[in-house]
């Protein structure tokens, strides 16, 4: 099944589900958008993450949203950072070197899909050229409005 929206989130120390992505997923589902939350995504090998996207994305996928709240050097190393560098608020994957390949992979499966960055580290001056939209602040209403915009123009 291809989902309309895929949300990547997680924290592994302590291993808990994050509230924000699930609140956004609930609101998206209430508005009629099929939504998948992939928790603890930073613990997957990069190829595993690509395989999950291959299974979850498709022609109807509007965007992949990534929470950057827990993507910071203060938390445990992720499995696919071999030589970690300092992460900043403009990254949407734990290893920013993987970002272009991830976007290319997504676009091969879902050409119209966008990359959306959210989370407490997102600011209005996000300047990563691979990010299509940045949602600043609570996203439970904004993600629904964005999904409607992308679907209905």
């Amino acid at each position: 099944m291809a989902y309309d929206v895929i949300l990547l989130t997680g924290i592994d120390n302590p291993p808990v589900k994050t509230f924000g992505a699930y609140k956004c997923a609930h609101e998206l589902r209430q508005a009629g958008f099929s939504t998948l939350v992939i928790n603890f995504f930073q613990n997957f090998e990069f190829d595993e993450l690509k395989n999950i996207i291959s299974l979850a994305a498709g022609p109807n996928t509007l965007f992949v949203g990534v929470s950057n709240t827990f993507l910071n050097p203060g938390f445990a190393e992720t499995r696919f950072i071999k030589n970690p560098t300092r992460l900043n608020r403009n990254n949407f994957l734990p290893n920013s070197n993987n970002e272009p390949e991830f976007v290319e992979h997504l676009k091969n499966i879902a050409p119209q899909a966008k990359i959306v960055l959210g989370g407490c580290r997102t600011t209005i001056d996000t300047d990563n050229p691979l990010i299509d939209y940045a949602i600043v602040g609570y996203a439970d209403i904004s993600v629904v409005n964005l999904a409607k915009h992308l679907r209905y123009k």
Side-chain angles (χ1 to χ4, degrees):
M1 170 183 182
Y3 291 88
D4 296 323
V5 177
I6 301 165
L7 301 175
L8 306 178
T9 187
I11 175 174
D12 56 0
N13 189 14
V16 296
K17 292 183 177 179
T18 56
F19 178 76
Y22 288 95
K23 174 63 173 165
C24 290
H26 170 76
E27 296 299 329
L28 284 159
R29 291 175 187 132
Q30 291 293 108
F33 297 96
S34 61
T35 306
L36 174 66
V37 177
I38 300 172
N39 210 347
F40 311 115
F41 84 97
Q42 74 279 8
N43 290 322
F44 292 106
E45 297 285 345
F46 183 61
D47 287 337
E48 290 174 319
L49 184 60
K50 285 182 9 184
N51 287 337
I52 291 169
I53 293 299
S54 295
L55 295 171
N60 61 304
T61 301
L62 301 170
F63 65 86
V64 172
V66 182
S67 172
N68 66 3
T69 299
F70 300 107
L71 292 182
N72 69 72
F75 288 85
E77 277 188 31
T78 63
R79 290 173 54 201
F80 65 88
I81 296 181
K82 302 303 182 211
N83 298 305
T85 57
R86 288 198 59 84
L87 300 166
N88 66 52
R89 67 178 183 265
N90 295 323
N91 294 132
F92 63 90
L93 291 181
N95 183 351
S96 61
N97 294 330
N98 290 333
E99 291 176 355
E101 183 180 344
F102 179 84
V103 171
E104 180 180 358
H105 180 72
L106 174 65
K107 297 292 186 176
N108 286 334
I109 299 163
Q112 76 292 346
K114 306 296 183 193
I115 298 291
V116 178
L117 183 67
C120 73
R121 300 183 187 286
T122 305
T123 62
I124 59 172
D125 63 344
T126 297
D127 63 1
N128 184 331
L130 298 173
I131 296 170
D132 298 296
Y133 295 94
I135 296 177
V136 178
Y138 294 113
D140 53 331
I141 296 170
S142 300
V143 292
V144 173
N145 291 336
L146 178 59
K148 288 179 180 178
H149 167 74
L150 294 174
R151 177 172 284 164
Y152 305 116
K153 307 299 181 223

